[in-house]
Amino acid sequence: MLQPRTQAAIAAARAAGLHVLVVTGRMFRSVRPYLAAAGLDEPVVCYQGGVVADPVSGDWLRHEPIPLELAREAIVAVEAEGFPLNCYVDDELYVAKHTAESERYANFQNLEVHAVGNLLDWLDGPPTKLVAVGDPDELDGLEDRLLAHFDGRMYISKSLPFFLEFASPEVTKGSGLAFLAEHLGFSLERTVAFGDGENDIPLLETAGYAVAVENAHDRLLAVADLVCPPVNEEGVAQVIEAYLDSLA
């Protein structure tokens, strides 16, 4: 959960009339409790931008799943490399079989995992996203090979070092933010985005002002307008506080 200073900064920003929006790779069901605890009731971008949902009603405002045949191609490619896959359908998590990797992921996200046997035989509709789980260095190699293989036909990016995510080519955190800008009526040019991971690059490139935390991925640091203190120093809260002070 959020630290007190960050929660207070968010509350102050909302009281000043600012939108405070969460853009995440997480499933909707896994992020919803955090939004409630933080008092955030505006739409949330989930699944790297594949879903935009209303945390109050539970309605999905946007859903861009992976086309079925493209998902099947990705399953074949990843399984041929020996990596287990997580498959997300209707905000539920499915795997071929329970493994140490799937249990680690489920525990990290506090989720139930459904084992369904052969994913290719089971999957009969477009999934929201796929995630390969494994050793960070090995996933780096897989990412390079599959970026070349799919050549722009699929969104592929690391979220955390041991998660390699696959989504529709129409999906990024940036496209999710752009959807919200149109839906809620705010300007992207006057938007500040924060991030720390490789998958946050499109988000920071879409926003008018990009902030990376100090311990962010090197590629994200390269596109940032500002680097703020790390999470353990509540750097995001510090930036929000400084901005609100500038309005006084």
Side-chain angles (χ1 to χ4, degrees), residues 15-99:
L18 304 178
H19 295 287
V20 179
L21 305 170
V22 172
V23 181
T24 179
R26 286 176 179 252
M27 301 169 70
F28 178 46
R29 68 187 304 140
S30 72
V31 74
R32 206 171 177 185
Y34 294 94
L35 299 174
L40 296 175
D41 55 7
E42 293 194 277
V44 56
V45 177
C46 309
Y47 289 102
Q48 310 296 356
V51 170
V52 178
D54 184 324
V56 179
S57 68
D59 294 339
W60 287 20
L61 309 176
R62 179 194 197 222
H63 185 209
E64 295 285 347
I66 306 171
L68 180 58
E69 290 309 310
L70 189 60
R72 290 180 179 275
E73 184 180 349
I75 290 170
V76 170
V78 173
E79 289 185 342
E81 295 258 12
F83 292 88
L85 262 176
N86 295 343
C87 181
Y88 300 80
V89 178
D90 296 330
D91 213 29
E92 296 282 353
L93 172 56
Y94 299 91
V95 296
K97 63 181 181 179
H98 293 295
T99 64

Side-chain angles (χ1 to χ4, degrees), residues 187-228:
S187 166
L188 287 171
E189 291 74 18
R190 293 179 57 81
T191 299
V192 179
F194 297 85
D196 64 352
E198 178 186 355
N199 59 329
D200 291 318
I201 293 171
L203 175 67
L204 268 62
E205 290 178 334
T206 301
Y209 195 77
V211 182
V213 298
E214 189 176 289
N215 52 344
H217 191 283
D218 287 344
R219 288 180 57 203
L220 192 74
L221 293 170
V223 303
D225 298 303
L226 174 73
V227 176
C228 72

